[in-house]
Amino acid sequence: MRYAMVIDTKKCVGCSDCVVACQNENRVPIGYCRDWVIEHAKGAFPNVSIELRSERCNHCENSPCVRCCPTGASHYEEGGLVMVDRGACIGCGACVQSCPYNARFSHPEGYVDKCSFCNHRLKEGKSPSCVSVCPTNCMYFGDLNDSESQVSQLLKNRDWKVLAPEVGTKPQVYYLI
Amino acid sequence: MNEEILISGRMNPHIDPTLGIWGWEIPLYLFLGGLAAGILFFASLYTLLGREKELPTAVRKATFLVPIILIVGLGALFLDLKNKLYFWQLYTTIRIESPMSWGAWILMLITPLSMAWCLSYWRDLAPGWKYKLEWLEYIEKLVNKYRKPMAWILIVSSVILGIYTGILLSAFNARPLWNTSILGPLFLVSGLSTGAATIMWLSKEQLERSLFSKIDLLLIGIEVFFIIHLFMGFMASNAAQIEAAGLFLGGAYTLPFWIGVVVLGLIVPAILEIMELRGRKIPVAIPALLILFGGLIFRFIMVDAGQISSYLY
């Protein structure tokens, strides 16, 4: 099992529904968020283009946050999920510094928080809340080890990229371009 | 306009608009940790070389500062934690891959050792002292008996402590400015140099002062070499690291770094020390304070600038 998210930047309209769904589902405190939308404009007029990306924790295969955590609070779980054990987190900030995607934040209650790929929903056989609410169906979630899964097929048939691959984290959120 | 990135819906405190999860606590600790490592390194080095009599400040007097420095540093580290009451979780595991775990354990070793070291020289300060607690007297006797092995442990652990202050930062591959292996040696040398400056400042003996003045000059030379090496490495690296180096080469940190750290913290004290070694009368506090101040702001600048540097937007 290797969970991954695939997001089609050609279908995303930047409505931020994923952000609101996540805040609601995971009771993210007001003023914080676990996912967000990037509007990336390129080129000079008249040759301009815009890419919209819904971003979150990449649940990296080689996670610097897991490596740098001094207490083992950041850890891997089944399917390659990168999770935080709230009872073991001392709030030192090492994982926040180590994340090239700035996907982690310090929860007002002291521990570090971030996207969990809604693992409580995965256990019930549902997809993450951001994926489930997307009005354009631009987000896909599944198992990359299963070559017949929708995510594997999309990555096989479409051009894609990951963010900051040069940092060597092997991120697991893929963007179709 | 060539390229522009807008983030909508993210305004996480300490993350946006620029990363600032570490405030004054971490750089202050990095400075104090380096300073303590420096003092302990020279104390144990000259004990092992059998020069306790000639160099009383290095081996004894200055070490009395170390427990205080370490406790203030540990206090700063504690304040940095957002989940303060869970700090003991550091001591429930050993994580070889995490420099912060190394640091926590080495501090656990070096803090009581430095206290025991001071305890063994306590009678120099208060000759007629009588302990109310018997076990303190027992520790004193024990340290006096096993001073050499203790110096061996201290010399190794002080080098680890000094290097760790740099490796703590260089382990973060997400921050291009920190992600260079030269930071470990650079912070170690800088820590040793602040330690030597403190000993030089406190010393009343001519021989000891001029010895530590020379040691400091050597360390400053190595530090300048490492700083050149640091920027050479950045300029020959990838786009993110070239951009990170730009923060010091025309960017926001140019003036504080080159004037504050390099000129006032390294070059001016070096010139003053050379003048003093040639017989000019210069109050020793001036170069010593400049070196200490330079070391302090160096760490503040590195921690601040490192958090700005990134691979993405």
Side-chain angles (χ1 to χ4, degrees), chain B residues 91-114:
Chain B
Y91 299 107
T92 57
T93 110
I94 296 179
R95 302 246 321 104
I96 302 290
E97 288 180 304
S98 164
M100 206 179 263
S101 180
W102 273 81
W105 282 102
I106 206 79
L107 281 167
M108 188 68 148
L109 172 74
I110 215 165
T111 310
L113 273 185
S114 72

Side-chain angles (χ1 to χ4, degrees), chain B residues 96-166:
Chain B
I96 302 290
E97 288 180 304
S98 164
M100 206 179 263
S101 180
W102 273 81
W105 282 102
I106 206 79
L107 281 167
M108 188 68 148
L109 172 74
I110 215 165
T111 310
L113 273 185
S114 72
M115 286 174 181
W117 186 273
C118 293
L119 195 66
S120 71
Y121 283 124
W122 183 244
R123 274 174 214 274
D124 289 7
L125 286 191
W129 185 270
K130 279 271 188 298
Y131 286 113
K132 295 245 166 41
L133 299 167
E134 261 179 36
W135 58 272
L136 280 177
E137 206 153 352
Y138 175 72
I139 293 176
E140 188 194 0
K141 279 193 191 127
L142 203 69
V143 178
N144 274 321
K145 197 171 158 196
Y146 294 107
R147 193 180 299 285
K148 279 266 153 96
M150 199 168 142
W152 275 113
I153 300 174
L154 272 179
I155 203 166
V156 174
S157 52
S158 66
V159 169
I160 297 177
L161 178 66
I163 283 197
Y164 140 74
T165 59

Side-chain angles (χ1 to χ4, degrees), chain A residues 9-68:
Chain A
T9 60
K10 300 285 186 208
K11 274 161 81 181
C12 177
V13 291
C15 67
S16 295
D17 220 5
C18 47
V19 181
V20 179
C22 172
Q23 286 168 327
N24 198 25
E25 175 73 30
N26 296 298
R27 300 206 176 87
V28 182
I30 303 282
Y32 293 79
C33 62
R34 290 180 175 192
D35 60 349
W36 58 94
V37 175
I38 292 282
E39 192 179 320
H40 190 164
K42 282 180 273 192
F45 180 83
N47 301 314
V48 286
S49 68
I50 278 185
E51 181 178 289
L52 292 158
R53 294 195 302 263
S54 171
E55 295 187 1
R56 61 194 41 59
C57 169
N58 283 269
H59 293 269
C60 306
E61 211 169 298
N62 180 24
S63 291
C65 51
V66 174
R67 177 169 51 81
C68 289

Side-chain angles (χ1 to χ4, degrees), chain B:
Chain B
M1 181 200 77
N2 197 20
E3 191 158 337
E4 191 169 336
I5 293 177
L6 293 172
I7 311 173
S8 65
R10 195 179 82 178
M11 197 39 86
N12 288 335
H14 305 302
I15 312 294
D16 301 296
T18 54
L19 186 68
I21 193 82
W22 284 350
W24 56 270
E25 299 93 342
I26 297 287
L28 177 69
Y29 161 70
L30 295 179
F31 170 71
L32 294 174
L35 178 59
I39 296 174
L40 285 177
F41 176 81
F42 290 116
S44 41
L45 176 72
Y46 286 113
T47 302
L48 292 173
L49 293 175
R51 294 177 68 182
E52 295 104 320
K53 292 263 152 53
E54 290 167 72
L55 307 168
T57 314
V59 174
R60 284 177 241 172
K61 205 163 135 196
T63 58
F64 281 95
L65 287 173
V66 174
I68 303 166
I69 292 169
L70 285 174
I71 287 167
V72 174
L74 284 168
L77 278 186
F78 180 72
L79 285 179
D80 172 67
L81 299 182
K82 305 286 189 295
N83 236 2
K84 294 185 176 53
L85 294 177
Y86 282 51
F87 78 95
W88 50 270
Q89 291 275 14
L90 281 170
Y91 299 107
T92 57
T93 110
I94 296 179
R95 302 246 321 104
I96 302 290
E97 288 180 304
S98 164
M100 206 179 263
S101 180
W102 273 81
W105 282 102
I106 206 79
L107 281 167
M108 188 68 148
L109 172 74
I110 215 165
T111 310
L113 273 185
S114 72
M115 286 174 181
W117 186 273
C118 293
L119 195 66
S120 71
Y121 283 124
W122 183 244
R123 274 174 214 274
D124 289 7
L125 286 191
W129 185 270
K130 279 271 188 298
Y131 286 113
K132 295 245 166 41
L133 299 167
E134 261 179 36
W135 58 272
L136 280 177
E137 206 153 352
Y138 175 72
I139 293 176
E140 188 194 0
K141 279 193 191 127
L142 203 69
V143 178
N144 274 321
K145 197 171 158 196
Y146 294 107
R147 193 180 299 285
K148 279 266 153 96
M150 199 168 142
W152 275 113
I153 300 174
L154 272 179
I155 203 166
V156 174
S157 52
S158 66
V159 169
I160 297 177
L161 178 66
I163 283 197
Y164 140 74
T165 59
I167 289 183
L168 177 72
L169 300 184
S170 66
F172 295 125
N173 47 345
R175 312 287 153 217
L177 183 71
W178 293 345
N179 194 209
T180 157
S181 51
I182 201 77
L183 228 52
L186 176 57
F187 273 51
L188 172 67
V189 174
S190 168
L192 292 178
S193 148
T194 51
T198 309
I199 294 167
M200 180 178 81
W201 187 15
L202 292 176
S203 179
K204 297 271 189 293
E205 318 269 322
Q206 193 49 45
L207 174 106
E208 197 173 29
R209 269 193 188 184
S210 67
L211 173 68
F212 277 91
S213 197
K214 281 177 203 152
I215 289 175
D216 231 356
L217 271 176
L218 175 70
L219 292 171
I220 286 173
I222 298 173
E223 232 178 306
V224 170
F225 169 74
F226 279 167
I227 287 172
I228 294 168
H229 203 77
L230 177 78
F231 283 98
M232 273 171 64
F234 281 146
M235 299 322 284
S237 184
N238 58 41
Q241 289 202 311
I242 293 171
E243 199 180 316
L247 289 168
F248 294 90
L249 306 169
Y253 291 90
T254 311
L255 203 64
F257 182 75
W258 295 104
I259 300 297
V261 178
V262 177
V263 175
L264 288 177
L266 297 172
I267 294 172
V268 171
I271 293 170
L272 290 176
E273 280 175 7
I274 291 170
M275 282 164 69
E276 212 203 350
L277 287 172
R278 296 223 169 138
R280 294 276 188 95
K281 277 268 166 277
I282 287 162
V284 70
I286 297 175
L289 272 173
L290 282 173
I291 289 168
L292 287 168
F293 184 69
L296 181 66
I297 62 167
F298 173 52
R299 282 150 180 91
F300 269 88
I301 290 172
M302 284 308 284
V303 170
D304 264 18
Q307 294 187 88
I308 291 178
S309 73
S310 73
Y311 278 88
L312 283 169
Y313 37 85

